[in-house]
Amino acid sequence: QLQLVESGGGLVQPGGSLRLSCVASGVTADTYIIGWFRQAPGKAREGVACISDRRATTSYADSVKGRFTISRDNAKNTVYLQMNSLKPEDTAVYYCAADWRPFADICTLNRGQYTFWGQGTQVTVSS
C-alpha cells in the first residue's frame, strides 16, 4: 500500500519561496504518476502540477506556470514542488497524490484520476 507524506509548508511573505516534499513509502514510486493539488478555504481542490513516471513529463496549472517547478528523485522515492514568487492567493493546504501508471508518458491534473493521497501541508503567504 502506497503511503504519501508531505512536508515543507509554512508561512512565507509574498514574493518568497518554499519547497514542498512528498515522500512515498510502501512501494517503489517510479511507476506512479504524482500530482500536487491545493485546497483553499471554501474552494474546491485544484490541480497545481503533476509529473509522469519514467520520462518525468510535467504539467502545470496556468496559475502557477513559470513560478512552480515539480521534480522527482526516484532513488529517494520523493517528489518536490519548488514554489517561487509566491502570492497570497497561493495560500492553501497542499496535497500530493499518486496513481499507478507504469510507462506513462503524461500525467493529469484531474483529482479524480488519483488513488492515493497524503494528509496535506499548510502553505500561508502573507505579510
Side-chain angles (χ1 to χ4, degrees):
Q1 181 79 1
L2 178 65
Q3 293 182 325
L4 303 169
V5 178
E6 305 95 334
S7 63
L11 173 64
V12 63
Q13 293 186 342
S17 298
L18 282 175
R19 189 177 78 158
L20 305 183
S21 299
C22 172
V23 179
S25 62
V27 297
T28 302
D30 63 354
T31 54
Y32 288 74
I33 60 170
I34 305 289
W36 281 100
F37 295 78
R38 66 186 181 187
Q39 188 166 19
K43 294 188 177 181
R45 191 171 298 188
E46 62 174 353
V48 173
C50 65
I51 189 165
S52 67
D53 56 356
R54 295 174 185 270
R55 293 191 180 185
T57 304
T58 59
S59 182
Y60 297 91
D62 288 342
S63 59
V64 306
K65 281 181 181 177
R67 300 189 298 123
F68 290 11
T69 302
I70 188 171
S71 61
R72 67 190 300 160
D73 184 339
N74 287 335
K76 296 182 178 180
N77 260 13
T78 301
V79 173
Y80 303 98
L81 184 68
Q82 178 66 44
M83 305 186 296
N84 299 328
S85 302
L86 283 162
K87 305 175 181 180
E89 51 263 43
D90 294 318
T91 296
V93 178
Y94 283 71
Y95 301 88
C96 68
D99 195 66
W100 189 66
R101 303 278 182 94
F103 309 109
D105 290 336
I106 61 173
C107 59
T108 175
L109 294 178
N110 182 342
R111 67 181 186 271
Q113 298 294 313
Y114 289 83
T115 305
F116 303 96
W117 290 83
Q119 294 300 306
T121 184
Q122 176 71 45
V123 172
T124 302
V125 184
S126 175
S127 55

